[in-house]
Amino acid sequence: MKSKVEWRGLKTFCTRLPPGRMRHSLTCQSSKAIRNIAKVLATRSKLKVAIPNYYEDHDTQPQNLLVSLPRVLGPNYRLTAENALEDLLNTQGETYNRIWESYLALRQYIQKHGGPPVPYPTMQRVLQRCTPNWASTRKLVVRVLPQPGMWKRLDTAVHSHRLRTVLSHMRESGQTPTISDYNYVLQYMAAAGHVRGASALLKEIDATEGVKPSAKTMKHVLQACVFLLEIEFSPQDRNLATAEATNLAYEVIRRVTDQNIDLSRQIVELVLRIVKEDGRVEQCERILRAVCAFDINKPDRMPEEFAKRLKEADESNEPLPKPLPISTSMFTTMMVLYGRRGDISKLITIFEVLTNPYPLPSNLPSPSSDWWDNEEEYDVPNPVVQTPLKHRPEYIWEPPKASPNSATFAFLLRYLSWAGQRVLCEHYMLIAEEYDKAEAVRLRKALSYELARHQQVSSALSNADREIVLDDNRSLIPSPRFLITPLLFMPVFAYANRQRVTQLMRWIRYHLHGIIQRRERELEFFKKSYESLPSGALPTRVTGQSYYQHEPYQDFSGIVEGTERQVPLDLKLHIELVETSLVSFKAMLERAEEVIARLTQRTVERLTRRVWNNKDVYIPELERRVVVGRDEWQERVQWKMWAGPVTGTNLGRMGSEVPNGVIPNR
């Protein structure tokens, strides 16, 4: 006969147990197991403690206040809770909510009955496993941040309160969190653009004795500021959020300068992006001169700021500074900075100088060569000086250079089209096509070599040995860094449509035909290569972690592009991207046909009305304006009444060409 306490405990257990999580002993209807569980739960009901006030202040979500008891029950509750938490931490892909609930259950028992605190290594592991991962947090914030006022309430949205709670538990147990622990929390806040949380944590680091901010610390704070500055969210919050992020960013930049923290490539990229959003061109140029040895006004000479650093290091017998290479991200940031200002001359100068560096003395012919007398060649009266220190010829300086990607060309064409630079738009569209062709040729050669190698290995070895050799000799084909899409040409297309530049529209249509034909040939080759290569010959794409999974702590670049990191080619993913771009180009071509038909038809109608009213039109063959008769006009432009719709495929074929020798009267 069960006592009232046992029945009360059994009732509590059954109501708390979620559906689908019934223990195996209960499903077998073991009366002994039920009676033992009821006794344990009846005893545990007396051990309930209130959640501390500091946790209630940070967490306002009701589901985070629930604490589930460990699944494995036993007489030693402390040992049971510790084992349950360790099992969850050692399980790959375990949900972060279960880890957090198990950790809170252990903490509540320790607060009620005392005993040694949770071990510091365990708290470190809980710190990295109690929240969603970096990618999931970024996706969540991008979805919720546009809501009004949400940027102020990110603390609850991204579970950063849990991280601060674990840090406070470390201090309560007598352990001081290391800078690595703080960097992980800052990295998580950078993923969400949580500027206020990053600022508060930076002040906490300054107030903690024995902890000094590192370059990673500053980098994560700058990442949070950049993400909040560049994302689109509620207009009524834009000014306040931008001001708060900008103030924190410039405070961090000042601290980096005062504390002589090493400027890594990621930090410089983030600083330039912050300066870009603020529009401070002078500060951007000063950073490029001092760090990257690049002066836009004198790109073939070492800047005075960097030469001064070099001279001071030489006089003090310190290691000579080396210019920081200009990455693709910095290159694109400069395009945006000068494009927003409408400074087209510097925009073109930066692109041409960085993609086509000045010739070095070693690449120039001898002074007695006829090359210098050829008028068609470039005149280089003062070649680049590569040895700024005469007594140290081993130190060689080269003009900076950079590689563009699709985003670089997208911003370049956007600002050129906004400025109405038709000739420059056509020029850089051709250059973008050349980059795309070169990347396709590189992939084609690499895949052809890989196919030939696998065929040679397959014909010489047996099946068992073939698998071992193919796995050991797996080639690393870098993934393409350039792929043109219709979005790249859309600003130029919109400019031609808005300004009614029919000739530019026809030029775009002609090149779209060539791009589509080339894409079809590339797609056919890539598909044949994918079918011919055995499984496992090329690395495959690593699927992203789900919202409930975690990866170990890494020094994420965040929103900074890793331009120096080589990512292996995922042929299946590349085929999907090529197919998508092909479909988009075909849709753009169809749209161009309709636009050309509409513009041509309206031009012909406008000129025909002038002819019908006995007004003159300009004839290029005669180089003057003349009055043309109706019969001659109908024969020249093949004019006929059209009863169908103005746009469409048939009309596009009928009126896709400009009337021979007729230019609209502007």
Side-chain angles (χ1 to χ4, degrees):
M1 192 70 179
K2 297 182 178 60
S3 62
K4 292 183 179 180
V5 176
E6 293 178 3
W7 280 115
R8 190 182 303 114
L10 180 61
K11 182 178 180 182
T12 304
F13 172 77
C14 294
T15 54
R16 286 185 178 181
L17 199 61
R21 292 176 59 181
M22 188 69 70
R23 292 177 58 84
H24 177 70
S25 57
L26 294 180
T27 58
C28 297
Q29 297 182 358
S30 173
S31 59
K32 184 177 181 180
I34 293 176
R35 185 165 56 254
N36 292 338
I37 292 174
K39 289 181 179 180
V40 173
L41 286 177
T43 307
R44 285 196 174 188
S45 61
K46 304 176 182 179
L47 303 178
K48 285 187 177 181
V49 295
I51 297 179
N53 292 331
Y54 62 81
Y55 181 69
E56 290 180 349
D57 295 339
H58 294 318
D59 196 348
T60 58
Q61 297 183 2
Q63 61 270 24
N64 292 332
L65 300 177
L66 300 178
V67 179
S68 61
L69 295 173
R71 304 176 94 183
V72 182
L73 303 175
N76 191 339
Y77 309 125
R78 168 68 183 265
L79 181 61
T80 301
E82 288 180 348
N83 293 337
L85 180 58
E86 288 294 332
D87 292 341
L88 293 177
L89 292 174
N90 295 329
T91 303
Q92 292 292 335
E94 188 57 71
T95 60
Y96 59 89
N97 279 328
R98 291 191 59 192
I99 294 176
W100 180 245
E101 292 173 358
S102 180
Y103 172 72
L104 284 185
L106 177 59
R107 281 284 307 177
Q108 290 178 7
Y109 180 84
I110 294 176
Q111 288 179 350
K112 180 66 177 179
H113 296 278
V118 180
Y120 178 70
T122 302
M123 285 191 286
Q124 283 186 316
R125 297 177 64 188
V126 171
L127 183 71
Q128 301 181 15
R129 298 286 301 276
C130 67
T131 53
N133 60 14
W134 193 94
S136 301
T137 304
R138 175 58 58 85
K139 293 179 182 178
L140 172 65
V141 172
V142 169
R143 187 173 65 251
V144 304
L145 197 58
Q147 301 175 10
M150 179 53 70
W151 72 280
K152 302 178 182 178
R153 305 191 300 271
L154 283 177
D155 184 70
T156 304
V158 298
H159 304 292
S160 62
H161 53 274
R162 297 184 178 182
L163 303 175
R164 294 202 306 272
T165 301
V166 177
L167 292 178
S168 65
H169 291 171
M170 291 180 180
R171 289 188 292 269
E172 290 177 3
S173 62
Q175 300 288 343
T176 301
T178 62
I179 190 61
S180 177
D181 298 330
Y182 284 112
N183 285 343
Y184 179 82
V185 181
L186 283 173
Q187 171 197 329
Y188 188 79
M189 293 181 179
H194 194 359
V195 173
R196 291 189 172 182
S199 177
L201 195 62
L202 187 60
K203 295 178 181 178
E204 183 177 331
I205 294 175
D206 296 334
T208 303
E209 185 178 358
V211 180
K212 184 179 180 181
S214 62
K216 292 181 180 179
T217 307
M218 301 304 180
K219 185 189 72 172
H220 292 320
V221 178
L222 291 176
Q223 284 176 351
C225 298
V226 170
F227 179 65
L228 192 64
L229 286 172
E230 293 184 345
I231 196 173
E232 295 292 337
F233 56 93
S234 179
Q236 57 265 31
D237 298 335
R238 164 60 61 184
N239 294 334
L240 182 59
T242 301
E244 191 164 339
T246 304
N247 294 336
L248 177 60
Y250 281 112
E251 179 185 351
V252 172
I253 294 173
R254 179 185 54 79
R255 294 184 56 175
V256 169
T257 305
D258 296 341
Q259 299 176 8
N260 294 326
I261 297 177
D262 294 335
L263 292 176
S264 62
R265 178 180 58 84
Q266 291 85 359
I267 292 181
V268 176
E269 288 176 355
L270 291 167
V271 171
L272 291 180
R273 294 170 73 171
I274 293 170
V275 172
K276 172 201 68 178
E277 295 297 327
D278 204 21
R280 302 188 181 184
V281 178
E282 295 78 9
Q283 186 169 358
C284 175
E285 294 179 353
R286 186 165 57 252
I287 294 173
L288 292 174
R289 289 195 299 265
V291 179
C292 302
F294 175 67
D295 188 357
I296 186 175
N297 299 314
K298 299 178 181 179
D300 60 335
R301 294 292 180 268
M302 177 180 288
E304 296 180 0
E305 289 83 350
F306 192 84
K308 182 179 179 181
R309 288 181 54 197
L310 189 64
K311 184 178 180 181
E312 292 176 353
D314 181 48
E315 292 176 353
S316 59
N317 294 326
E318 297 179 356
L320 299 180
K322 294 184 178 181
L324 191 68
I326 297 180
S327 63
T328 305
S329 177
M330 298 181 192
F331 191 13
T332 307
T333 301
M334 287 188 279
M335 292 287 103
V336 177
L337 177 62
Y338 288 98
R340 287 180 178 178
R341 291 173 57 90
D343 197 343
I344 302 299
S345 61
K346 286 191 176 181
L347 187 72
I348 300 301
T349 302
I350 291 175
F351 186 90
E352 294 297 334
V353 168
L354 292 180
T355 55
N356 301 291
Y358 276 78
L360 301 177
S362 58
N363 299 331
L364 294 176
S366 62
S368 60
S369 175
D370 297 337
W371 182 87
W372 298 95
D373 300 330
N374 192 350
E375 296 180 356
E376 297 180 357
E377 300 294 344
Y378 293 102
D379 187 14
V380 188
N382 297 316
V384 175
V385 178
Q386 290 189 273
T387 55
L389 300 176
K390 301 300 181 181
H391 61 284
R392 302 188 67 172
E394 70 276 3
Y395 186 87
I396 298 177
W397 176 80
E398 294 184 0
K401 55 184 178 180
S403 300
N405 58 5
S406 303
T408 309
F409 277 95
F411 285 114
L412 178 62
L413 291 174
R414 175 189 298 180
Y415 295 118
L416 289 177
S417 60
W418 287 359
Q421 301 291 335
R422 172 188 167 183
V423 177
L424 291 177
C425 288
E426 294 178 356
H427 172 70
Y428 287 106
M429 284 177 66
L430 292 176
I431 294 181
E433 292 184 32
E434 293 298 326
Y435 271 89
D436 186 73
K437 290 179 183 178
E439 197 68 25
V441 169
R442 182 189 67 82
L443 286 179
R444 195 182 188 95
K445 291 181 179 179
L447 289 175
S448 300
Y449 173 79
E450 197 69 19
L451 284 171
R453 189 177 68 87
H454 283 294
Q455 291 176 0
Q456 183 179 3
V457 172
S458 300
S459 59
L461 299 176
S462 61
N463 294 334
D465 297 335
R466 186 187 310 134
E467 294 180 359
I468 297 176
V469 173
L470 292 180
D471 185 67
D472 293 340
N473 297 333
R474 178 184 294 182
S475 301
L476 177 62
I477 302 177
S479 61
R481 303 305 300 267
F482 197 93
L483 183 69
I484 57 175
T485 61
L487 293 178
L488 196 70
F489 301 152
M490 193 59 66
V492 184
F493 184 85
Y495 161 70
N497 185 25
R498 183 174 61 254
Q499 299 296 330
R500 299 180 181 179
V501 186
T502 314
Q503 294 85 354
L504 179 58
M505 193 70 69
R506 288 197 188 88
W507 187 88
I508 294 175
R509 181 186 62 180
Y510 172 78
H511 286 275
L512 286 178
H513 279 292
I515 293 174
I516 290 174
Q517 294 176 2
R518 182 165 55 86
R519 277 281 187 270
E520 291 175 347
R521 294 193 299 267
E522 294 173 359
L523 185 61
E524 182 181 0
F525 174 79
F526 291 146
K527 287 185 176 180
K528 289 183 179 179
S529 302
Y530 183 75
E531 295 174 356
S532 301
L533 287 173
S535 59
L538 293 176
T540 56
R541 174 176 47 175
V542 180
T543 57
Q545 300 289 338
S546 66
Y547 188 77
Y548 298 100
Q549 294 178 345
H550 279 264
E551 60 258 359
Y553 173 71
Q554 301 177 12
D555 182 19
F556 282 99
S557 298
I559 52 180
V560 179
E561 179 189 7
T563 54
E564 299 179 354
R565 184 182 59 221
Q566 285 190 349
V567 180
L569 170 67
D570 185 354
L571 189 55
K572 184 178 180 181
L573 174 62
H574 185 66
I575 290 174
E576 295 176 359
L577 295 177
V578 173
E579 286 180 340
T580 304
S581 66
L582 179 60
V583 173
S584 302
F585 274 122
K586 289 182 178 180
M588 186 178 184
L589 177 61
E590 183 179 353
R591 177 59 180 165
E593 293 282 0
E594 294 182 357
V595 172
I596 293 173
R598 184 187 70 244
L599 294 178
T600 305
Q601 181 70 13
R602 291 179 178 176
T603 301
V604 172
E605 289 177 354
R606 184 173 66 253
L607 294 177
T608 303
R609 285 193 294 268
R610 292 185 61 85
V611 172
W612 254 243
N613 294 329
N614 296 324
K615 296 182 179 181
D616 55 354
V617 293
Y618 181 80
I619 305 298
E621 301 138 7
L622 303 177
E623 296 184 355
R624 59 190 178 90
R625 306 179 67 88
V626 297
V627 178
V628 182
R630 294 188 179 185
D631 296 337
E632 182 183 356
W633 179 257
Q634 290 180 359
E635 183 180 356
R636 178 182 290 272
V637 302
Q638 298 180 359
W639 170 262
K640 63 179 180 179
M641 300 301 296
W642 178 257
V646 176
T647 60
T649 306
N650 294 331
L651 185 58
R653 295 196 179 99
M654 182 195 73
S656 59
E657 298 296 334
V658 170
N660 296 330
V662 178
I663 296 180
N665 182 21
R666 294 287 182 183

